[in-house]
Amino acid sequence: MKILYVTKALIAPPYAGCMQRTVHIARQLKPCGQVTMLAINRRFDSDSVNVCRQEFSRFDQILLRSYTDFPKRRGELLRKFHMHWPTLCGIRADRQGQALFETLAAQHDVIWFHTLGAAQPFSLPRTTPMVMDLDDLNHCKYEQSARIQTTLRFRLSAHVQSYKWKRLEREALKRYAAVVVCSEQDKQLLGGDDKIFVVPNGFTLPAEKPTCGPPDPLRLGFIGTLGYHANHHGLIWFRDQVWPLILKQRPNASLRIIGALPPEKNRVKAEGFEYLGYIADPGPEMQTWSAMVVPIVYGGGTRIKILDAFSKRCPVVSTRIGAYGIDATDNIHFLLADTAEQFAERCLQLMDNPSWGKTLADEAWTLLTQKYQWETIGVEIRNVVSEVLKPICQP
């Protein structure tokens, strides 16, 4: 069997959440047969391309035009038009790119797209079975974003984009042989159709089970790129609403922030905030945290950073939106809080009681090993392919 895997997220470190999903689903498809990766984007870096060429027996790429390739005013108008028009989500491939896609599609038995954005540039074949991995439900992200916008203009924009993505996600059920989402909640939001399959995000376990040393009672942590608006907004909410309540009780507390360093002007600054930059192996650092905070107040899909904390046996305090889609239980696997007062209280409880944090981390580790290993999830991934091919294989 030959599978064409089409994605906009290349597999090069430092891994963002979507990159981790891309690489692991593609790897779990390999037992089904030969996997060809087709990467489409406005630009590629050589490290990403080299990683992909080493990972897959065949790797092709299509370079899309960028909005910056147009005159400035025209490019900006085109970008906004594509953002809000109900049937579009980006620039189409040119004739050469479309021809390469059609050639590859004809040579493969199944096409697996990672996100609607990976399929949108092309005219799609009518005969080859196709799988659409929606990953996040974008309509949820914009629906929640509309609630926090402070101006009428941005609220209207978010509502329009929510409507647009909801329509595109619903139409995917008609267009593709199978639709993949990250959680049972997302499946039900799309109507619970039998052709919707749940493939949760997972995380690779370390070679050895991490030890739980005594954490620093004055130290909390955060992981995420602040270039992603939901992370940036969440950290601002934490700084403005939660952090003063923590400092009132623990004046010397610190929040250690791991992730690609944003420009100085985009950093969320506060007394006790320490930026560490990207760390290839954050495990030793996370072992010193009393808790990892996930103060996300809007977004779609599941937060891989929570699974990352589970794999490091680091306690987690999260909003319910931050923990969305992860089949874990409050007060057993992590602590949930949605108001600033609750969030601060939860953090202070773990700073005061490290043994409770260890108990939460132990339960979270067990959950991760039972449900969120990619080797376990791989069974569901390959089942999607089997179901898609079943009508063709039946006499």
Side-chain angles (χ1 to χ4, degrees), residues 142-197:
Y142 288 109
E143 197 173 76
Q144 295 161 8
S145 174
R147 299 171 190 158
I148 64 171
Q149 298 300 332
T150 56
T151 67
L152 178 61
R153 173 190 168 194
F154 287 121
R155 280 198 299 273
L156 288 174
S157 174
H159 280 303
V160 170
Q161 291 185 78
S162 175
Y163 166 78
K164 162 192 168 171
W165 284 106
K166 183 177 290 187
R167 174 176 173 171
L168 291 173
E169 290 156 3
R170 297 283 183 182
E171 295 214 345
L173 296 174
K174 305 173 186 176
R175 195 169 196 179
Y176 298 92
V179 171
V180 173
V181 294
C182 292
S183 67
E184 185 63 35
Q185 293 99 310
D186 283 350
K187 177 176 179 176
Q188 296 308 315
L189 281 174
L190 288 181
D193 193 280
D194 288 342
K195 70 189 304 184
I196 304 174
F197 296 84

Side-chain angles (χ1 to χ4, degrees), residues 141-142 144-145 148 228-230 233 296-300 303 321:
K141 176 174 68 176
Y142 288 109
Q144 295 161 8
S145 174
I148 64 171
Y228 178 50
H229 189 263
H233 184 277
I296 305 300
V297 296
Y298 83 93
R303 251 54 60 183
I321 289 177

Side-chain angles (χ1 to χ4, degrees), residues 239-258:
R239 179 197 64 187
D240 294 346
Q241 304 296 324
V242 180
W243 193 237
L245 301 177
I246 293 175
L247 289 183
K248 192 172 183 179
Q249 300 294 323
R250 299 287 183 277
N252 296 321
S254 65
L255 179 75
R256 310 263 284 185
I257 302 167
I258 294 177

Side-chain angles (χ1 to χ4, degrees), residues 9 46 65 72 117 173 198 218 237 296 305 333 391:
S46 57
R65 293 188 72 182
K72 184 176 180 181
L173 296 174
V198 176
L218 295 176
W237 175 79
I296 305 300
K305 66 183 77 191
H333 304 104

Side-chain angles (χ1 to χ4, degrees), residues 3-194:
I3 301 172
L4 177 62
Y5 190 86
V6 188
T7 181
K8 297 181 74 174
L10 293 187
I11 52 174
Y15 293 121
C18 61
M19 292 178 184
Q20 293 191 39
R21 186 172 178 86
T22 291
V23 63
H24 285 291
I25 288 183
R27 285 173 178 165
Q28 292 302 324
L29 286 170
K30 286 183 178 181
C32 296
Q34 178 184 321
V35 177
T36 297
M37 174 174 273
L38 175 61
I40 61 168
N41 217 316
R42 295 187 296 272
R43 60 185 178 274
F44 300 99
D45 65 85
S46 57
D47 290 339
S48 296
V49 171
N50 289 336
V51 170
C52 292
R53 291 196 188 284
Q54 294 171 11
E55 182 75 28
F56 299 96
S57 58
R58 181 172 180 182
F59 170 77
D60 285 287
Q61 56 197 92
I62 293 175
L63 188 65
L64 300 176
R65 293 188 72 182
S66 170
Y67 295 110
T68 57
D69 295 334
F70 298 90
K72 184 176 180 181
R73 183 169 179 79
R74 183 185 172 193
E76 184 62 19
L77 287 172
L78 188 62
R79 183 184 68 84
K80 290 183 178 180
F81 176 73
H82 285 169
M83 282 174 59
H84 297 92
W85 192 254
T87 59
L88 297 174
C89 52
I91 295 175
R92 302 279 290 178
D94 60 19
R95 290 183 180 180
Q96 185 177 357
Q98 177 65 33
L100 175 57
F101 173 74
E102 289 176 359
T103 299
L104 291 172
Q107 295 171 350
H108 291 77
D109 302 299
V110 177
I111 306 173
W112 187 301
F113 292 101
H114 175 254
T115 74
L116 289 163
Q120 190 275 334
F122 306 111
S123 297
L124 302 180
R126 296 181 180 275
T127 55
T128 308
M130 298 183 295
V131 177
M132 172 51 66
D133 178 9
L134 293 174
D135 200 340
D136 298 348
L137 291 188
N138 280 329
H139 89 263
C140 293
K141 176 174 68 176
Y142 288 109
E143 197 173 76
Q144 295 161 8
S145 174
R147 299 171 190 158
I148 64 171
Q149 298 300 332
T150 56
T151 67
L152 178 61
R153 173 190 168 194
F154 287 121
R155 280 198 299 273
L156 288 174
S157 174
H159 280 303
V160 170
Q161 291 185 78
S162 175
Y163 166 78
K164 162 192 168 171
W165 284 106
K166 183 177 290 187
R167 174 176 173 171
L168 291 173
E169 290 156 3
R170 297 283 183 182
E171 295 214 345
L173 296 174
K174 305 173 186 176
R175 195 169 196 179
Y176 298 92
V179 171
V180 173
V181 294
C182 292
S183 67
E184 185 63 35
Q185 293 99 310
D186 283 350
K187 177 176 179 176
Q188 296 308 315
L189 281 174
L190 288 181
D193 193 280
D194 288 342

Side-chain angles (χ1 to χ4, degrees), residues 278-312:
Y278 170 72
I279 301 177
D281 178 14
E285 167 64 26
M286 294 172 70
Q287 289 298 308
T288 69
W289 297 353
S290 292
M292 184 181 84
V293 298
V294 186
I296 305 300
V297 296
Y298 83 93
T302 57
R303 251 54 60 183
I304 290 180
K305 66 183 77 191
I306 289 183
L307 301 179
D308 190 357
F310 286 0
S311 77
K312 308 298 191 298

Side-chain angles (χ1 to χ4, degrees), residues 338-380:
D338 285 321
T339 68
E341 293 76 15
Q342 291 171 345
F343 209 103
E345 181 183 4
R346 293 296 211 174
C347 291
L348 290 167
Q349 286 171 343
L350 292 180
M351 296 167 87
D352 288 339
N353 190 352
S355 63
W356 189 22
K358 182 178 182 301
T359 299
L360 293 170
D362 287 341
E363 292 294 334
W365 170 269
T366 300
L367 176 69
L368 181 73
T369 59
Q370 292 175 347
K371 191 164 186 175
Y372 290 106
Q373 289 192 73
W374 278 112
E375 290 72 17
T376 304
I377 297 169
V379 176
E380 300 301 323

